[in-house]
Amino acid sequence: MSRSFLLVLVLPSVAFAQGTADDYKRAMSLREKYANAVTNLVVTPNWYGGNRLWFREELPDGRSRFVTVDAEKGEKGPAFDHKQLAEALAKAAERKVDAEKLPFRAITLDGTTVGFTAFDKGWKYDTEKRTLTVGEARPPAAPQPPGGNRPRGERRAQAGPRSPDGKFTAFVKDYNVWIREGTGDARTEKALSTDGKADDGYTSFYWSPDSKKLIAMRQKKGGDRVVTYVESSPKDQLQPKTKTVPYLKPGDPIPQPKPHLFDLATRKEIPVADTLFPNPWDISYEHWTPDSKRFLFLYNQRGHTVMRIVSVDAETGKATAIVNEECKTFFDYSSKLYLQYLDGTNELVWMSERNGWNHLYLIDARDGTVKNAITKGEWAVRGVEERVNAEKREVMIRAVGVKPDEDPYHVHYARVNLDGTGFKVLTEGDGIHGIQWSPNRKFFIDTYSRVDLPPVHVLRSADGAKVVELATADASDLKKKGYQSIERFTAKGRDGKTDIYGVIVRPSNFDPKKTYPVIENIYAGPQDHFVPKRFQNYYRHQQMADLGFIVVQCDGMGTNWRSKAFHDVCWKNLGDAGFPDRIAWIRAAAAKHAEMDIRKGVGIFGGSAGGQNALGGMLAYPDFYVVGVADCGCHDNRMDKIWWNELWMSWPIGPHYAAQSNTTNAHKLKGKLMLVVGEVDTNVDPASTLQVVNALEKADKDFDLLYMTGANHGAAESPYGQRRRMDFFVRHLLGVEPRSK
């Protein structure tokens, strides 16, 4: 008897009413149905006159009004009398004009004059005289995008071939460093190096401020692996096309840059021993001190367990470590790297997890002494907002976990002095925050929301004090259209102590008297966390749920932005994917919610690393995850891109790579599996999926393969891929034949 027939027998009878043609029709209509059903999701400020702004406030039923705010006084009101302006415009244009649906979305304000464009003309309305004339309406200034800048410090500010004094030009000839001096007949050229080779030549240059010393980077050539693609069905010709894409994989030789120091007076190299930087993955943040006495750079060692700021003495070539991070696991340079040199005080600001949480440190740039921790506590710095303010001796940061009574992934903004004093959270409200600064930096708009809380927009002064509430998003129309509020749910993880956070998504026609099979949407990549936090239209989640499921998503151990110990679970251990935490979380949710039926197993789907996770869960926990769809998975970490995999799985390649490979473990498959892969996936080598296919065939396993011609990464997110994924879960988890057509 087939496994699918067994599922039909054991699933609750209520499930047979799900997965119908009506369910598909309703599910596929959700995107359009929910579009524009929430007002004031975003407030776009238009600043004028220093500390004043206007914005367009949305009202129900497509109505709106223009609002002005005096930030200094904390006063908010209509930008003008909408009824009077509408009457004047209707008369002048000989058109019908609704005061709450004015035919323009932008204005300019100048004293008592409102400028706008409507009916292909520019208009000016005098609010005191109540007169309307044809004029030239100026477009509003472009608003600042939410969140601001996301710099990581200083990078290569002094790079270039021309010396600061303009006397010399460095260039590469025959893979070596040459110097050109003078012009015309007086021009001379001289080689500074003779050891450059085709596979180990010189590249970029960094002049000392006094033009007396030159750092030239010499880079050893890396590997030349490529992935070859055959596009079977190109749009512009009958015959297939082939192409190759450079694609280094874990273990491959990599380009290795190293600095070399040259003295322009003697035209000779000053030897610099590479003892402190023997095996670079990368060298960056190159920086000369203003006095030209030292050259500093950041050394990221291959394997990412060593990060150093190295200082080279310009006279002797002696290299010393100013910052030395030798980690037991990994240094997350992909998202937790920040370095800023403060030359005026011989300091630098450095980001580190050395105490178990991601924080900022103030370090003496001369000898590496840690002057003090700038931030501290059992929470993490998510990033530096703009740059450290060296003059005010303060820094603004984005912080997570800083509010003990909130979800630890909620982003708040805070300011702190470089000596660690004066720490102050500038945003308030239980949610994830984003800000938009006024041009003069005296005020900012603080917007916060949760999956179960529509956005709230508050104007605050630079010190965080509330000035006035601007608007609150209204989701009442969305709920009238059947939107089910996403439930936030927290349960203990594998250790019985650590909180795991996730969400539960129910069908729009949810009936609490019915039971629903559960499907987990998984992505366990260590580079971030992935559970939705902001309020927005998560119709994709609800589309799947509307077929007769409850869809869940959580972040297990090994994902980012909690403690270092929480993150470290992934190291050399991507196969873990937080499954012990996920399973505990799902079981706790089902124990609380009787409508969640996990008695006969759970479904699982994901793409990319999530595709690896979806199949990995089925292989490692076959009695829990019984139906899965794995899209474009990096199923073997030796087959995927080099940077992502070596960061988390480390280098050199060890037996743990093969041990955690879905290809190696494919013979353990028990449940119903569909593999999806794009023919020309340039992100994850398609061969990663096809090697799983090969292993499954050799193990005599039944499975479905959706090989999508012409598709790149994320093939299952195409309309056809989505439909096939839906059908697969309806057929094998609900136990009924899909009615998608």
Side-chain angles (χ1 to χ4, degrees):
M1 186 178 289
S2 71
R3 184 178 181 87
S4 60
F5 185 60
L6 281 172
L7 285 170
V8 172
L9 287 178
V10 300
L11 283 170
S13 59
V14 69
F16 291 101
Q18 298 159 343
T20 66
D22 286 343
D23 291 327
Y24 273 93
K25 183 178 180 180
R26 184 180 60 257
M28 300 315 294
S29 70
L30 292 179
R31 181 177 186 179
E32 183 177 353
K33 185 178 181 181
Y34 292 160
N36 303 317
V38 181
T39 62
N40 298 314
L41 274 173
V42 176
V43 165
T44 302
N46 297 269
W47 291 89
Y48 69 99
N51 295 316
R52 298 177 66 89
L53 69 93
W54 68 263
F55 68 96
R56 182 172 169 271
E57 183 179 11
E58 297 173 338
L59 303 171
D61 304 319
R63 298 176 295 121
S64 67
R65 63 187 172 198
F66 292 88
V67 177
T68 57
V69 178
D70 186 321
E72 289 285 359
K73 297 179 180 179
E75 297 176 349
K76 181 181 77 169
F80 48 85
D81 188 312
H82 289 62
K83 183 179 179 181
Q84 291 177 359
L85 187 150
E87 291 174 349
L89 181 59
K91 182 178 180 180
E94 298 182 341
R95 302 280 191 96
K96 289 184 177 181
V97 179
D98 188 330
E100 292 187 322
K101 293 184 179 180
L102 292 171
F104 51 88
R105 299 175 64 88
I107 61 175
T108 58
L109 294 173
D110 184 7
T112 61
T113 302
V114 181
F116 59 92
T117 299
F119 308 128
D120 300 321
K121 292 182 179 179
W123 304 87
K124 289 185 178 181
Y125 179 71
D126 190 308
T127 58
E128 289 187 349
K129 298 178 180 179
R130 300 184 184 181
T131 57
L132 181 66
T133 57
V134 176
E136 193 173 326
R138 299 191 305 271
Q144 180 185 7
N149 194 16
R150 298 286 192 271
R152 286 187 177 177
E154 303 171 70
R155 295 183 66 86
R156 310 191 176 208
Q158 299 158 309
R162 192 77 167 170
S163 64
D165 63 7
K167 295 180 179 179
F168 304 103
T169 300
F171 63 98
V172 175
K173 180 179 178 180
D174 298 329
Y175 315 110
N176 280 294
V177 181
W178 286 67
I179 291 295
R180 180 182 299 119
E181 184 179 8
T183 60
D185 294 338
R187 187 178 71 177
T188 61
E189 294 181 350
K190 180 176 177 61
L192 295 188
S193 72
T194 57
D195 54 355
K197 303 175 184 177
D199 61 351
D200 192 10
Y202 290 88
T203 56
S204 53
F205 307 104
Y206 303 89
W207 285 95
S208 63
D210 63 7
S211 302
K212 294 181 179 180
K213 300 292 191 305
L214 173 68
I215 288 285
M217 301 301 294
R218 182 179 176 186
Q219 182 163 288
K220 187 177 181 180
K221 186 179 179 181
D224 56 2
R225 184 191 297 277
V226 298
V227 172
T228 301
Y229 297 88
V230 177
E231 186 180 2
S232 63
S233 310
K235 296 178 180 179
D236 58 346
Q237 66 183 49
L238 174 65
Q239 298 301 322
K241 289 182 178 180
T242 61
K243 70 174 181 179
T244 58
V245 174
Y247 197 106
L248 294 185
K249 297 184 177 183
D252 284 348
I254 61 173
Q256 290 195 312
K258 293 184 180 180
H260 288 251
L261 175 63
F262 294 92
D263 187 326
L264 268 294
T266 63
R267 301 295 199 272
K268 292 182 179 180
E269 180 175 0
I270 301 173
V272 179
D274 66 357
T275 307
L276 291 175
F277 49 96
N279 187 22
W281 166 267
D282 185 36
I283 284 178
S284 59
Y285 290 86
E286 300 89 344
H287 182 78
W288 277 99
T289 56
D291 60 9
S292 298
K293 291 183 178 180
R294 295 184 301 142
F295 178 76
L296 296 93
F297 60 89
L298 177 62
Y299 167 68
N300 180 356
Q301 184 161 292
R302 189 169 190 182
H304 313 297
T305 60
V306 175
M307 293 284 284
R308 292 191 181 106
I309 299 176
V310 178
S311 172
V312 176
D313 186 289
E315 293 298 324
T316 66
K318 181 181 179 182
T320 56
I322 300 301
V323 173
N324 187 45
E325 299 267 358
E326 296 188 16
C327 310
K328 293 181 179 179
T329 56
F330 56 85
F331 188 104
D332 180 10
Y333 74 93
S334 69
S335 58
K336 294 174 180 171
L337 173 58
Y338 186 86
L339 167 59
Q340 183 173 335
Y341 299 104
L342 306 178
D343 287 327
T345 52
N346 291 310
E347 296 168 315
L348 59 87
V349 175
W350 176 247
M351 185 180 285
S352 171
E353 292 184 285
R354 60 182 62 183
N355 74 341
W357 298 85
N358 196 48
H359 284 294
L360 295 175
Y361 294 85
L362 184 65
I363 295 175
D364 190 314
R366 294 166 294 191
D367 58 13
T369 301
V370 177
K371 301 182 77 170
N372 58 265
I374 299 173
T375 60
K376 58 186 176 181
E378 293 189 353
W379 54 273
V381 174
R382 188 71 165 82
V384 172
E385 184 69 8
E386 299 189 338
R387 293 167 59 82
V388 171
N389 190 321
E391 292 183 3
K392 292 185 177 180
R393 301 287 291 174
E394 65 182 22
V395 58
M396 188 171 182
I397 62 169
R398 302 183 304 281
V400 289
V402 75
K403 294 280 190 175
D405 55 343
E406 291 187 26
D407 183 321
Y409 297 99
H410 283 174
V411 174
H412 280 273
Y413 288 73
R415 184 178 284 116
V416 61
N417 297 323
L418 294 187
D419 64 4
T421 64
F423 180 82
K424 183 180 181 181
V425 177
L426 303 177
T427 51
E428 291 295 331
D430 184 0
I432 184 168
H433 292 252
I435 66 173
Q436 302 176 76
W437 281 103
S438 65
N440 61 15
R441 311 287 292 182
K442 291 184 177 181
F443 302 92
F444 65 87
I445 295 176
D446 172 20
T447 296
Y448 69 94
S449 70
R450 302 188 305 266
V451 292
D452 57 357
L453 176 72
V456 178
H457 312 279
V458 179
L459 180 65
R460 298 184 182 278
S461 60
D463 63 358
K466 181 178 178 179
V467 176
V468 66
E469 186 169 310
L470 299 178
T472 298
D474 183 356
S476 56
D477 188 42
L478 185 67
K479 293 179 180 178
K480 289 178 183 177
K481 293 180 177 181
Y483 181 82
Q484 290 286 327
S485 183
I486 297 176
E487 179 185 348
R488 298 184 297 149
F489 185 76
T490 306
K492 300 300 180 184
R494 70 186 74 184
D495 59 5
K497 300 177 182 179
T498 304
D499 284 333
I500 302 298
Y501 294 79
V503 294
I504 300 172
V505 183
R506 296 174 175 84
S508 61
N509 64 344
F510 172 69
D511 184 345
K513 297 179 181 179
K514 292 184 178 181
T515 60
Y516 301 81
V518 175
I519 299 175
E520 180 180 0
N521 179 7
I522 188 170
Y523 190 100
Q527 73 270 23
D528 209 339
H529 67 86
F530 306 96
V531 171
K533 300 295 177 184
R534 299 183 187 277
F535 187 92
Q536 63 187 65
N537 183 358
Y538 296 105
Y539 70 90
R540 283 283 180 87
H541 292 69
Q542 198 168 334
Q543 278 181 331
M544 183 69 78
D546 262 46
L547 299 180
F549 305 105
I550 288 179
V551 178
V552 301
Q553 188 173 357
C554 63
D555 285 311
M557 292 184 187
T559 50
N560 211 343
W561 298 114
R562 299 282 290 276
S563 68
K564 175 64 170 165
F566 189 101
H567 201 187
D568 277 349
V569 170
C570 75
W571 191 61
K572 294 187 177 182
N573 192 34
L574 288 182
D576 177 277
F579 281 120
D581 311 300
R582 297 171 185 278
I583 293 171
W585 185 91
I586 292 173
R587 285 176 172 159
K592 179 179 179 181
H593 299 290
E595 67 270 20
M596 296 176 63
D597 184 5
I598 64 170
R599 291 173 296 171
K600 299 302 177 182
V602 171
I604 188 169
F605 73 94
S608 195
Q612 176 187 26
N613 305 146
L615 177 52
M618 295 186 70
L619 301 178
Y621 302 93
D623 297 325
F624 189 82
Y625 296 107
V626 298
V627 181
V629 178
D631 176 31
C632 57
C634 41
H635 295 291
D636 188 314
N637 297 105
R638 297 168 295 183
M639 289 292 294
D640 191 29
K641 65 193 74 66
I642 187 171
W643 81 264
W644 194 87
N645 295 274
E646 285 197 8
L647 175 52
W648 316 116
M649 292 291 278
S650 197
W651 176 91
I653 308 304
H656 59 289
Y657 273 82
Q660 296 172 57
S661 165
N662 287 344
T663 304
T664 303
N665 295 300
H667 64 280
K668 299 177 182 178
L669 181 67
K670 292 183 180 180
K672 293 294 182 178
L673 168 67
M674 181 166 78
L675 295 168
V676 186
V677 64
E679 181 179 54
V680 289
D681 187 339
T682 54
N683 187 318
V684 175
D685 186 347
S688 185
T689 294
L690 296 177
Q691 288 181 359
V692 172
V693 169
N694 178 54
L696 290 170
E697 290 171 348
K698 290 181 177 178
D700 196 25
K701 297 292 182 179
D702 293 338
F703 63 97
D704 285 23
L705 172 64
L706 178 56
Y707 184 88
M708 297 191 64
T709 59
N712 206 309
H713 201 56
E717 298 307 317
S718 67
Y720 181 74
Q722 288 181 61
R723 198 268 296 174
R724 288 290 303 274
R725 181 170 61 198
M726 289 176 168
D727 286 356
F728 196 79
F729 283 115
V730 168
R731 182 177 293 117
H732 296 295
L733 200 56
L734 284 179
V736 299
E737 191 59 25
R739 297 291 184 266
S740 58
K741 292 185 178 180

